[in-house]
mmCIF file of all heavy atoms in Angstrom:
data_model
loop_
_atom_site.group_PDB
_atom_site.id
_atom_site.type_symbol
_atom_site.label_atom_id
_atom_site.label_comp_id
_atom_site.label_asym_id
_atom_site.label_seq_id
_atom_site.Cartn_x
_atom_site.Cartn_y
_atom_site.Cartn_z
ATOM 1 N N MET A 1 10.202 -2.601 0.002
ATOM 2 C CA MET A 1 9.239 -3.001 0.940
ATOM 3 C C MET A 1 8.057 -3.527 0.100
ATOM 4 O O MET A 1 7.560 -2.831 -0.844
ATOM 5 C CB MET A 1 8.847 -1.915 1.885
ATOM 6 C CG MET A 1 7.446 -2.179 2.556
ATOM 7 S SD MET A 1 6.959 -0.846 3.514
ATOM 8 C CE MET A 1 7.681 -1.289 5.116
ATOM 9 N N GLN A 2 7.531 -4.665 0.378
ATOM 10 C CA GLN A 2 6.362 -5.220 -0.233
ATOM 11 C C GLN A 2 5.152 -5.137 0.654
ATOM 12 O O GLN A 2 5.269 -5.648 1.852
ATOM 13 C CB GLN A 2 6.514 -6.583 -0.797
ATOM 14 C CG GLN A 2 5.399 -7.031 -1.725
ATOM 15 C CD GLN A 2 5.645 -8.390 -2.337
ATOM 16 O OE1 GLN A 2 5.577 -9.344 -1.661
ATOM 17 N NE2 GLN A 2 5.821 -8.321 -3.661
ATOM 18 N N VAL A 3 4.001 -4.519 0.286
ATOM 19 C CA VAL A 3 2.875 -4.487 1.090
ATOM 20 C C VAL A 3 1.763 -5.278 0.427
ATOM 21 O O VAL A 3 1.485 -5.013 -0.765
ATOM 22 C CB VAL A 3 2.433 -3.043 1.250
ATOM 23 C CG1 VAL A 3 1.141 -2.843 2.026
ATOM 24 C CG2 VAL A 3 3.594 -2.198 1.993
ATOM 25 N N ARG A 4 1.086 -6.114 1.147
ATOM 26 C CA ARG A 4 -0.087 -6.808 0.673
ATOM 27 C C ARG A 4 -1.307 -6.230 1.343
ATOM 28 O O ARG A 4 -1.393 -6.029 2.501
ATOM 29 C CB ARG A 4 -0.020 -8.302 0.983
ATOM 30 C CG ARG A 4 1.009 -9.010 0.127
ATOM 31 C CD ARG A 4 0.807 -10.556 0.379
ATOM 32 N NE ARG A 4 1.724 -11.261 -0.503
ATOM 33 C CZ ARG A 4 1.558 -11.502 -1.724
ATOM 34 N NH1 ARG A 4 0.465 -11.187 -2.336
ATOM 35 N NH2 ARG A 4 2.450 -12.139 -2.493
ATOM 36 N N ILE A 5 -2.390 -5.975 0.527
ATOM 37 C CA ILE A 5 -3.543 -5.349 0.961
ATOM 38 C C ILE A 5 -4.655 -6.473 0.733
ATOM 39 O O ILE A 5 -4.863 -6.808 -0.424
ATOM 40 C CB ILE A 5 -3.833 -4.090 0.295
ATOM 41 C CG1 ILE A 5 -2.813 -3.063 0.577
ATOM 42 C CG2 ILE A 5 -5.209 -3.498 0.733
ATOM 43 C CD1 ILE A 5 -2.879 -1.735 -0.081
ATOM 44 N N PRO A 6 -5.248 -7.010 1.785
ATOM 45 C CA PRO A 6 -6.249 -8.004 1.663
ATOM 46 C C PRO A 6 -7.471 -7.427 0.810
ATOM 47 O O PRO A 6 -7.753 -6.231 0.836
ATOM 48 C CB PRO A 6 -6.719 -8.266 2.982
ATOM 49 C CG PRO A 6 -5.583 -7.843 3.945
ATOM 50 C CD PRO A 6 -4.967 -6.611 3.190
ATOM 51 N N LYS A 7 -8.074 -8.427 0.069
ATOM 52 C CA LYS A 7 -9.248 -8.013 -0.809
ATOM 53 C C LYS A 7 -10.313 -7.212 -0.088
ATOM 54 O O LYS A 7 -10.841 -6.233 -0.572
ATOM 55 C CB LYS A 7 -9.782 -9.265 -1.406
ATOM 56 C CG LYS A 7 -10.912 -9.124 -2.290
ATOM 57 C CD LYS A 7 -10.543 -8.461 -3.617
ATOM 58 C CE LYS A 7 -11.777 -8.378 -4.559
ATOM 59 N NZ LYS A 7 -11.443 -7.593 -5.775
ATOM 60 N N ASP A 8 -10.596 -7.559 1.259
ATOM 61 C CA ASP A 8 -11.642 -6.865 1.955
ATOM 62 C C ASP A 8 -11.248 -5.386 2.332
ATOM 63 O O ASP A 8 -12.125 -4.626 2.852
ATOM 64 C CB ASP A 8 -12.013 -7.690 3.236
ATOM 65 C CG ASP A 8 -10.935 -7.912 4.216
ATOM 66 O OD1 ASP A 8 -9.678 -8.034 3.794
ATOM 67 O OD2 ASP A 8 -11.176 -7.970 5.420
ATOM 68 N N LEU A 9 -10.021 -5.043 2.184
ATOM 69 C CA LEU A 9 -9.511 -3.606 2.437
ATOM 70 C C LEU A 9 -9.326 -2.955 1.176
ATOM 71 O O LEU A 9 -8.850 -1.719 1.225
ATOM 72 C CB LEU A 9 -8.294 -3.687 3.284
ATOM 73 C CG LEU A 9 -8.469 -4.225 4.712
ATOM 74 C CD1 LEU A 9 -7.073 -4.237 5.420
ATOM 75 C CD2 LEU A 9 -9.434 -3.516 5.463
ATOM 76 N N HIS A 10 -9.718 -3.355 0.024
ATOM 77 C CA HIS A 10 -9.432 -2.656 -1.282
ATOM 78 C C HIS A 10 -10.180 -1.433 -1.273
ATOM 79 O O HIS A 10 -9.690 -0.490 -2.077
ATOM 80 C CB HIS A 10 -9.827 -3.574 -2.387
ATOM 81 C CG HIS A 10 -8.793 -4.591 -2.780
ATOM 82 N ND1 HIS A 10 -8.892 -5.305 -3.910
ATOM 83 C CD2 HIS A 10 -7.621 -4.993 -2.204
ATOM 84 C CE1 HIS A 10 -7.875 -6.080 -3.965
ATOM 85 N NE2 HIS A 10 -7.039 -5.911 -2.947
ATOM 86 N N GLU A 11 -11.197 -1.189 -0.600
ATOM 87 C CA GLU A 11 -11.938 0.078 -0.686
ATOM 88 C C GLU A 11 -11.388 1.033 0.354
ATOM 89 O O GLU A 11 -11.861 2.213 0.350
ATOM 90 C CB GLU A 11 -13.485 -0.164 -0.417
ATOM 91 C CG GLU A 11 -14.102 -1.013 -1.477
ATOM 92 C CD GLU A 11 -14.073 -0.370 -2.840
ATOM 93 O OE1 GLU A 11 -14.312 0.841 -2.870
ATOM 94 O OE2 GLU A 11 -13.834 -1.134 -3.837
ATOM 95 N N GLU A 12 -10.439 0.653 1.148
ATOM 96 C CA GLU A 12 -9.857 1.548 2.226
ATOM 97 C C GLU A 12 -8.643 2.323 1.709
ATOM 98 O O GLU A 12 -7.872 1.796 0.939
ATOM 99 C CB GLU A 12 -9.391 0.725 3.406
ATOM 100 C CG GLU A 12 -10.574 0.004 4.171
ATOM 101 C CD GLU A 12 -11.653 0.935 4.761
ATOM 102 O OE1 GLU A 12 -11.189 1.970 5.323
ATOM 103 O OE2 GLU A 12 -12.834 0.748 4.705
ATOM 104 N N PRO A 13 -8.440 3.518 2.136
ATOM 105 C CA PRO A 13 -7.312 4.268 1.702
ATOM 106 C C PRO A 13 -5.999 3.895 2.442
ATOM 107 O O PRO A 13 -5.389 4.729 3.126
ATOM 108 C CB PRO A 13 -7.674 5.729 2.022
ATOM 109 C CG PRO A 13 -8.527 5.536 3.114
ATOM 110 C CD PRO A 13 -9.355 4.236 3.043
ATOM 111 N N VAL A 14 -5.606 2.685 2.313
ATOM 112 C CA VAL A 14 -4.390 2.074 3.070
ATOM 113 C C VAL A 14 -3.118 2.935 2.840
ATOM 114 O O VAL A 14 -2.471 3.300 3.818
ATOM 115 C CB VAL A 14 -4.223 0.622 2.738
ATOM 116 C CG1 VAL A 14 -3.008 0.095 3.425
ATOM 117 C CG2 VAL A 14 -5.483 -0.167 3.003
ATOM 118 N N ILE A 15 -2.823 3.200 1.578
ATOM 119 C CA ILE A 15 -1.533 3.894 1.366
ATOM 120 C C ILE A 15 -1.622 5.284 1.761
ATOM 121 O O ILE A 15 -0.739 5.912 2.288
ATOM 122 C CB ILE A 15 -1.096 3.783 -0.135
ATOM 123 C CG1 ILE A 15 -0.818 2.289 -0.464
ATOM 124 C CG2 ILE A 15 0.013 4.581 -0.481
ATOM 125 C CD1 ILE A 15 -0.433 1.945 -1.867
ATOM 126 N N SER A 16 -2.824 5.971 1.604
ATOM 127 C CA SER A 16 -2.956 7.362 1.971
ATOM 128 C C SER A 16 -2.815 7.399 3.596
ATOM 129 O O SER A 16 -2.211 8.360 4.046
ATOM 130 C CB SER A 16 -4.381 7.730 1.573
ATOM 131 O OG SER A 16 -4.677 9.112 2.099
ATOM 132 N N ARG A 17 -3.443 6.489 4.305
ATOM 133 C CA ARG A 17 -3.229 6.461 5.765
ATOM 134 C C ARG A 17 -1.802 6.284 6.195
ATOM 135 O O ARG A 17 -1.326 6.821 7.051
ATOM 136 C CB ARG A 17 -4.107 5.426 6.333
ATOM 137 C CG ARG A 17 -5.586 5.815 6.300
ATOM 138 C CD ARG A 17 -6.393 4.756 6.888
ATOM 139 N NE ARG A 17 -7.875 5.128 6.797
ATOM 140 C CZ ARG A 17 -8.833 4.295 6.863
ATOM 141 N NH1 ARG A 17 -8.626 3.019 7.020
ATOM 142 N NH2 ARG A 17 -10.135 4.663 6.752
ATOM 143 N N LEU A 18 -1.020 5.423 5.384
ATOM 144 C CA LEU A 18 0.378 5.203 5.673
ATOM 145 C C LEU A 18 1.127 6.546 5.487
ATOM 146 O O LEU A 18 1.883 6.828 6.440
ATOM 147 C CB LEU A 18 0.918 4.202 4.709
ATOM 148 C CG LEU A 18 2.406 3.838 4.739
ATOM 149 C CD1 LEU A 18 2.736 3.083 5.972
ATOM 150 C CD2 LEU A 18 2.824 3.008 3.552
ATOM 151 N N VAL A 19 0.789 7.266 4.515
ATOM 152 C CA VAL A 19 1.475 8.575 4.299
ATOM 153 C C VAL A 19 1.170 9.520 5.365
ATOM 154 O O VAL A 19 2.054 10.147 5.951
ATOM 155 C CB VAL A 19 1.016 9.065 2.826
ATOM 156 C CG1 VAL A 19 1.547 10.545 2.805
ATOM 157 C CG2 VAL A 19 1.571 8.350 1.840
ATOM 158 N N SER A 20 -0.101 9.644 5.718
ATOM 159 C CA SER A 20 -0.495 10.637 6.749
ATOM 160 C C SER A 20 -0.005 10.231 8.123
ATOM 161 O O SER A 20 0.366 11.139 8.947
ATOM 162 C CB SER A 20 -1.982 10.934 6.646
ATOM 163 O OG SER A 20 -2.669 9.859 7.034
ATOM 164 N N HIS A 21 -0.095 8.991 8.450
ATOM 165 C CA HIS A 21 0.229 8.534 9.831
ATOM 166 C C HIS A 21 1.764 8.621 10.106
ATOM 167 O O HIS A 21 2.162 9.039 11.156
ATOM 168 C CB HIS A 21 -0.311 7.123 10.004
ATOM 169 C CG HIS A 21 -0.063 6.637 11.476
ATOM 170 N ND1 HIS A 21 -0.815 7.076 12.551
ATOM 171 C CD2 HIS A 21 0.787 5.782 11.947
ATOM 172 C CE1 HIS A 21 -0.346 6.469 13.618
ATOM 173 N NE2 HIS A 21 0.606 5.647 13.322
ATOM 174 N N PHE A 22 2.521 8.145 9.092
ATOM 175 C CA PHE A 22 3.950 8.140 9.366
ATOM 176 C C PHE A 22 4.777 9.268 8.650
ATOM 177 O O PHE A 22 5.907 9.339 8.746
ATOM 178 C CB PHE A 22 4.492 6.761 8.882
ATOM 179 C CG PHE A 22 4.001 5.691 9.683
ATOM 180 C CD1 PHE A 22 3.006 4.807 9.164
ATOM 181 C CD2 PHE A 22 4.511 5.368 10.950
ATOM 182 C CE1 PHE A 22 2.541 3.712 9.956
ATOM 183 C CE2 PHE A 22 4.056 4.384 11.712
ATOM 184 C CZ PHE A 22 3.073 3.499 11.215
ATOM 185 N N GLN A 23 4.029 10.127 7.843
ATOM 186 C CA GLN A 23 4.530 11.248 7.246
ATOM 187 C C GLN A 23 5.734 10.891 6.373
ATOM 188 O O GLN A 23 6.854 11.383 6.573
ATOM 189 C CB GLN A 23 4.960 12.326 8.263
ATOM 190 C CG GLN A 23 3.723 12.843 9.041
ATOM 191 C CD GLN A 23 4.087 13.797 10.151
ATOM 192 O OE1 GLN A 23 5.251 14.099 10.444
ATOM 193 N NE2 GLN A 23 3.137 14.342 10.811
ATOM 194 N N VAL A 24 5.504 9.952 5.575
ATOM 195 C CA VAL A 24 6.491 9.447 4.525
ATOM 196 C C VAL A 24 6.154 9.726 3.180
ATOM 197 O O VAL A 24 4.965 9.993 2.939
ATOM 198 C CB VAL A 24 6.791 7.929 4.706
ATOM 199 C CG1 VAL A 24 7.394 7.606 6.106
ATOM 200 C CG2 VAL A 24 5.536 7.177 4.520
ATOM 201 N N THR A 25 7.037 9.709 2.175
ATOM 202 C CA THR A 25 6.747 9.799 0.855
ATOM 203 C C THR A 25 6.737 8.338 0.325
ATOM 204 O O THR A 25 7.562 7.595 0.639
ATOM 205 C CB THR A 25 7.862 10.596 0.064
ATOM 206 O OG1 THR A 25 7.892 12.015 0.590
ATOM 207 C CG2 THR A 25 7.587 10.621 -1.464
ATOM 208 N N VAL A 26 5.666 7.976 -0.436
ATOM 209 C CA VAL A 26 5.629 6.587 -0.926
ATOM 210 C C VAL A 26 5.799 6.595 -2.460
ATOM 211 O O VAL A 26 5.151 7.404 -3.204
ATOM 212 C CB VAL A 26 4.255 6.066 -0.568
ATOM 213 C CG1 VAL A 26 4.101 4.617 -1.207
ATOM 214 C CG2 VAL A 26 4.034 5.965 0.918
ATOM 215 N N ILE A 27 6.720 5.788 -2.945
ATOM 216 C CA ILE A 27 7.000 5.661 -4.365
ATOM 217 C C ILE A 27 6.549 4.181 -4.709
ATOM 218 O O ILE A 27 7.079 3.211 -4.069
ATOM 219 C CB ILE A 27 8.395 5.879 -4.681
ATOM 220 C CG1 ILE A 27 8.803 7.373 -4.370
ATOM 221 C CG2 ILE A 27 8.644 5.523 -6.200
ATOM 222 C CD1 ILE A 27 10.216 7.600 -4.352
ATOM 223 N N ILE A 28 5.508 4.108 -5.427
ATOM 224 C CA ILE A 28 5.072 2.755 -5.945
ATOM 225 C C ILE A 28 6.041 2.294 -7.080
ATOM 226 O O ILE A 28 5.917 2.767 -8.236
ATOM 227 C CB ILE A 28 3.539 2.813 -6.339
ATOM 228 C CG1 ILE A 28 2.747 3.274 -5.179
ATOM 229 C CG2 ILE A 28 3.156 1.409 -6.875
ATOM 230 C CD1 ILE A 28 1.268 3.466 -5.539
ATOM 231 N N ALA A 29 6.830 1.318 -6.800
ATOM 232 C CA ALA A 29 7.767 0.755 -7.853
ATOM 233 C C ALA A 29 7.040 -0.297 -8.729
ATOM 234 O O ALA A 29 7.373 -0.372 -9.917
ATOM 235 C CB ALA A 29 8.930 0.184 -7.129
ATOM 236 N N ASP A 30 6.102 -0.988 -8.126
ATOM 237 C CA ASP A 30 5.406 -1.989 -8.963
ATOM 238 C C ASP A 30 4.086 -2.326 -8.171
ATOM 239 O O ASP A 30 4.061 -2.107 -6.994
ATOM 240 C CB ASP A 30 6.212 -3.318 -9.019
ATOM 241 C CG ASP A 30 5.629 -4.321 -9.976
ATOM 242 O OD1 ASP A 30 4.890 -3.942 -10.870
ATOM 243 O OD2 ASP A 30 5.870 -5.557 -9.785
ATOM 244 N N ALA A 31 3.062 -2.757 -8.871
ATOM 245 C CA ALA A 31 1.786 -3.022 -8.197
ATOM 246 C C ALA A 31 1.054 -4.185 -9.028
ATOM 247 O O ALA A 31 1.158 -4.209 -10.322
ATOM 248 C CB ALA A 31 0.944 -1.831 -8.188
ATOM 249 N N GLN A 32 0.439 -4.962 -8.258
ATOM 250 C CA GLN A 32 -0.459 -6.037 -8.829
ATOM 251 C C GLN A 32 -1.757 -5.855 -8.090
ATOM 252 O O GLN A 32 -1.992 -6.250 -6.978
ATOM 253 C CB GLN A 32 0.146 -7.441 -8.517
ATOM 254 C CG GLN A 32 1.510 -7.608 -9.210
ATOM 255 C CD GLN A 32 2.123 -9.017 -8.880
ATOM 256 O OE1 GLN A 32 1.451 -9.850 -8.184
ATOM 257 N NE2 GLN A 32 3.261 -9.181 -9.263
ATOM 258 N N VAL A 33 -2.648 -5.258 -8.853
ATOM 259 C CA VAL A 33 -3.979 -4.820 -8.384
ATOM 260 C C VAL A 33 -5.044 -5.593 -9.176
ATOM 261 O O VAL A 33 -5.025 -5.399 -10.430
ATOM 262 C CB VAL A 33 -4.188 -3.303 -8.278
ATOM 263 C CG1 VAL A 33 -5.591 -3.021 -7.739
ATOM 264 C CG2 VAL A 33 -3.077 -2.716 -7.554
ATOM 265 N N SER A 34 -5.958 -6.256 -8.520
ATOM 266 C CA SER A 34 -7.032 -6.923 -9.284
ATOM 267 C C SER A 34 -8.403 -6.442 -8.716
ATOM 268 O O SER A 34 -8.714 -6.850 -7.558
ATOM 269 C CB SER A 34 -6.933 -8.407 -9.140
ATOM 270 O OG SER A 34 -5.593 -8.819 -9.680
ATOM 271 N N ALA A 35 -9.140 -5.804 -9.436
ATOM 272 C CA ALA A 35 -10.366 -5.249 -8.951
ATOM 273 C C ALA A 35 -11.494 -6.307 -8.876
ATOM 274 O O ALA A 35 -12.245 -6.300 -7.948
ATOM 275 C CB ALA A 35 -10.897 -4.041 -9.838
ATOM 276 N N ASN A 36 -11.572 -7.136 -9.865
ATOM 277 C CA ASN A 36 -12.543 -8.067 -9.820
ATOM 278 C C ASN A 36 -12.237 -9.542 -9.644
ATOM 279 O O ASN A 36 -12.980 -10.498 -9.916
ATOM 280 C CB ASN A 36 -13.314 -8.036 -11.278
ATOM 281 C CG ASN A 36 -13.924 -6.630 -11.408
ATOM 282 O OD1 ASN A 36 -14.509 -6.087 -10.543
ATOM 283 N ND2 ASN A 36 -13.708 -6.169 -12.707
ATOM 284 N N VAL A 37 -10.995 -9.746 -8.982
ATOM 285 C CA VAL A 37 -10.571 -11.018 -8.722
ATOM 286 C C VAL A 37 -10.450 -11.203 -7.188
ATOM 287 O O VAL A 37 -9.985 -10.293 -6.515
ATOM 288 C CB VAL A 37 -9.133 -11.259 -9.430
ATOM 289 C CG1 VAL A 37 -8.630 -12.682 -9.041
ATOM 290 C CG2 VAL A 37 -9.258 -11.052 -10.882
ATOM 291 N N PRO A 38 -10.873 -12.301 -6.706
ATOM 292 C CA PRO A 38 -10.802 -12.448 -5.180
ATOM 293 C C PRO A 38 -9.444 -12.818 -4.689
ATOM 294 O O PRO A 38 -9.164 -13.862 -4.228
ATOM 295 C CB PRO A 38 -11.820 -13.696 -4.917
ATOM 296 C CG PRO A 38 -11.706 -14.462 -6.182
ATOM 297 C CD PRO A 38 -11.383 -13.526 -7.316
ATOM 298 N N GLN A 39 -8.510 -11.845 -4.784
ATOM 299 C CA GLN A 39 -7.255 -11.986 -4.254
ATOM 300 C C GLN A 39 -6.678 -10.747 -3.635
ATOM 301 O O GLN A 39 -7.214 -9.681 -3.882
ATOM 302 C CB GLN A 39 -6.267 -12.525 -5.344
ATOM 303 C CG GLN A 39 -6.039 -11.479 -6.465
ATOM 304 C CD GLN A 39 -5.269 -12.165 -7.697
ATOM 305 O OE1 GLN A 39 -5.312 -13.355 -7.824
ATOM 306 N NE2 GLN A 39 -4.568 -11.394 -8.299
ATOM 307 N N ASP A 40 -5.583 -10.745 -2.931
ATOM 308 C CA ASP A 40 -4.985 -9.595 -2.290
ATOM 309 C C ASP A 40 -4.320 -8.818 -3.367
ATOM 310 O O ASP A 40 -3.971 -9.316 -4.457
ATOM 311 C CB ASP A 40 -3.988 -9.929 -1.261
ATOM 312 C CG ASP A 40 -4.551 -10.751 -0.121
ATOM 313 O OD1 ASP A 40 -5.793 -10.708 -0.018
ATOM 314 O OD2 ASP A 40 -3.737 -11.305 0.705
ATOM 315 N N SER A 41 -4.078 -7.506 -3.156
ATOM 316 C CA SER A 41 -3.355 -6.693 -4.038
ATOM 317 C C SER A 41 -1.913 -6.598 -3.402
ATOM 318 O O SER A 41 -1.785 -6.661 -2.206
ATOM 319 C CB SER A 41 -3.910 -5.257 -4.156
ATOM 320 O OG SER A 41 -5.148 -5.304 -4.804
ATOM 321 N N CYS A 42 -0.969 -6.341 -4.162
ATOM 322 C CA CYS A 42 0.389 -6.294 -3.716
ATOM 323 C C CYS A 42 1.085 -5.112 -4.362
ATOM 324 O O CYS A 42 1.064 -4.934 -5.534
ATOM 325 C CB CYS A 42 1.114 -7.693 -4.221
ATOM 326 S SG CYS A 42 2.790 -7.857 -3.616
ATOM 327 N N PHE A 43 1.799 -4.447 -3.510
ATOM 328 C CA PHE A 43 2.592 -3.218 -3.963
ATOM 329 C C PHE A 43 3.978 -3.296 -3.521
ATOM 330 O O PHE A 43 4.397 -3.683 -2.359
ATOM 331 C CB PHE A 43 2.025 -2.001 -3.259
ATOM 332 C CG PHE A 43 0.554 -1.660 -3.732
ATOM 333 C CD1 PHE A 43 -0.497 -2.207 -3.027
ATOM 334 C CD2 PHE A 43 0.319 -0.817 -4.774
ATOM 335 C CE1 PHE A 43 -1.792 -1.876 -3.405
ATOM 336 C CE2 PHE A 43 -0.952 -0.533 -5.087
ATOM 337 C CZ PHE A 43 -1.999 -1.068 -4.440
ATOM 338 N N ASP A 44 4.939 -2.974 -4.474
ATOM 339 C CA ASP A 44 6.337 -2.841 -4.078
ATOM 340 C C ASP A 44 6.524 -1.317 -3.771
ATOM 341 O O ASP A 44 6.361 -0.551 -4.742
ATOM 342 C CB ASP A 44 7.290 -3.339 -5.162
ATOM 343 C CG ASP A 44 7.340 -4.866 -5.261
ATOM 344 O OD1 ASP A 44 6.978 -5.507 -4.276
ATOM 345 O OD2 ASP A 44 7.614 -5.382 -6.345
ATOM 346 N N LEU A 45 6.857 -0.910 -2.578
ATOM 347 C CA LEU A 45 6.930 0.503 -2.276
ATOM 348 C C LEU A 45 8.351 0.792 -1.834
ATOM 349 O O LEU A 45 9.073 0.059 -1.207
ATOM 350 C CB LEU A 45 5.989 0.749 -1.101
ATOM 351 C CG LEU A 45 4.554 0.438 -1.200
ATOM 352 C CD1 LEU A 45 3.830 0.796 0.054
ATOM 353 C CD2 LEU A 45 3.892 1.146 -2.313
ATOM 354 N N GLU A 46 8.712 2.030 -2.161
ATOM 355 C CA GLU A 46 9.846 2.644 -1.525
ATOM 356 C C GLU A 46 9.352 3.737 -0.612
ATOM 357 O O GLU A 46 8.572 4.591 -1.039
ATOM 358 C CB GLU A 46 10.724 3.295 -2.727
ATOM 359 C CG GLU A 46 12.022 3.977 -2.206
ATOM 360 C CD GLU A 46 12.827 4.510 -3.270
ATOM 361 O OE1 GLU A 46 12.796 3.970 -4.495
ATOM 362 O OE2 GLU A 46 13.518 5.548 -2.987
ATOM 363 N N LEU A 47 9.791 3.813 0.559
ATOM 364 C CA LEU A 47 9.369 4.810 1.636
ATOM 365 C C LEU A 47 10.475 5.675 1.829
ATOM 366 O O LEU A 47 11.613 5.273 2.115
ATOM 367 C CB LEU A 47 8.884 4.033 2.755
ATOM 368 C CG LEU A 47 7.785 3.043 2.765
ATOM 369 C CD1 LEU A 47 7.579 2.416 4.153
ATOM 370 C CD2 LEU A 47 6.546 3.633 2.178
ATOM 371 N N ARG A 48 10.207 6.994 1.876
ATOM 372 C CA ARG A 48 11.219 8.060 2.137
ATOM 373 C C ARG A 48 10.701 8.904 3.320
ATOM 374 O O ARG A 48 9.516 9.324 3.237
ATOM 375 C CB ARG A 48 11.516 8.883 0.920
ATOM 376 C CG ARG A 48 12.188 8.096 -0.086
ATOM 377 C CD ARG A 48 12.546 8.963 -1.385
ATOM 378 N NE ARG A 48 13.094 8.204 -2.366
ATOM 379 C CZ ARG A 48 13.398 8.667 -3.506
ATOM 380 N NH1 ARG A 48 13.205 9.981 -3.813
ATOM 381 N NH2 ARG A 48 13.968 7.884 -4.401
ATOM 382 N N GLY A 49 11.531 9.145 4.204
ATOM 383 C CA GLY A 49 11.108 10.006 5.323
ATOM 384 C C GLY A 49 12.263 10.018 6.416
ATOM 385 O O GLY A 49 13.391 9.574 6.110
ATOM 386 N N THR A 50 11.990 10.615 7.531
ATOM 387 C CA THR A 50 12.991 10.681 8.570
ATOM 388 C C THR A 50 12.571 9.672 9.592
ATOM 389 O O THR A 50 11.402 9.342 9.885
ATOM 390 C CB THR A 50 13.000 12.090 9.228
ATOM 391 O OG1 THR A 50 11.722 12.439 9.727
ATOM 392 C CG2 THR A 50 13.478 13.061 8.227
ATOM 393 N N VAL A 51 13.584 9.118 10.329
ATOM 394 C CA VAL A 51 13.435 8.134 11.398
ATOM 395 C C VAL A 51 12.961 8.909 12.548
ATOM 396 O O VAL A 51 13.724 9.882 13.010
ATOM 397 C CB VAL A 51 14.618 7.285 11.617
ATOM 398 C CG1 VAL A 51 14.519 6.379 12.762
ATOM 399 C CG2 VAL A 51 15.104 6.582 10.355
ATOM 400 N N SER A 52 11.885 8.571 13.216
ATOM 401 C CA SER A 52 11.495 9.265 14.490
ATOM 402 C C SER A 52 11.424 8.408 15.605
ATOM 403 O O SER A 52 11.589 7.099 15.557
ATOM 404 C CB SER A 52 10.103 9.813 14.193
ATOM 405 O OG SER A 52 9.216 8.913 13.663
#
């Protein structure tokens, strides 16, 4: 699964909220994060959990 996080949400705990809201384990397989560049960050994630 690939998740894009818009630049304006870089200060928000997006992945942490994903974990707590859906009670999944997140494995970050790859990430492209740019702190000082005006672009989105991109994460390749593996999600593990139960289907509810």
Side-chain angles (χ1 to χ4, degrees):
M1 159 185 271
Q2 188 173 70
V3 176
R4 288 192 177 276
I5 300 176
K7 180 71 173 168
D8 62 327
L9 294 178
H10 279 190
E11 298 297 320
E12 298 293 322
V14 175
I15 293 176
S16 176
R17 288 182 182 157
L18 178 68
V19 169
S20 64
H21 183 74
F22 294 103
Q23 299 173 355
V24 296
T25 299
V26 175
I27 299 167
I28 300 173
D30 189 28
Q32 296 175 5
V33 181
S34 302
N36 298 319
V37 178
Q39 64 188 27
D40 297 349
S41 292
C42 185
F43 296 88
D44 289 336
L45 304 179
E46 180 180 328
L47 303 178
R48 294 184 183 175
T50 58
V51 177
S52 44

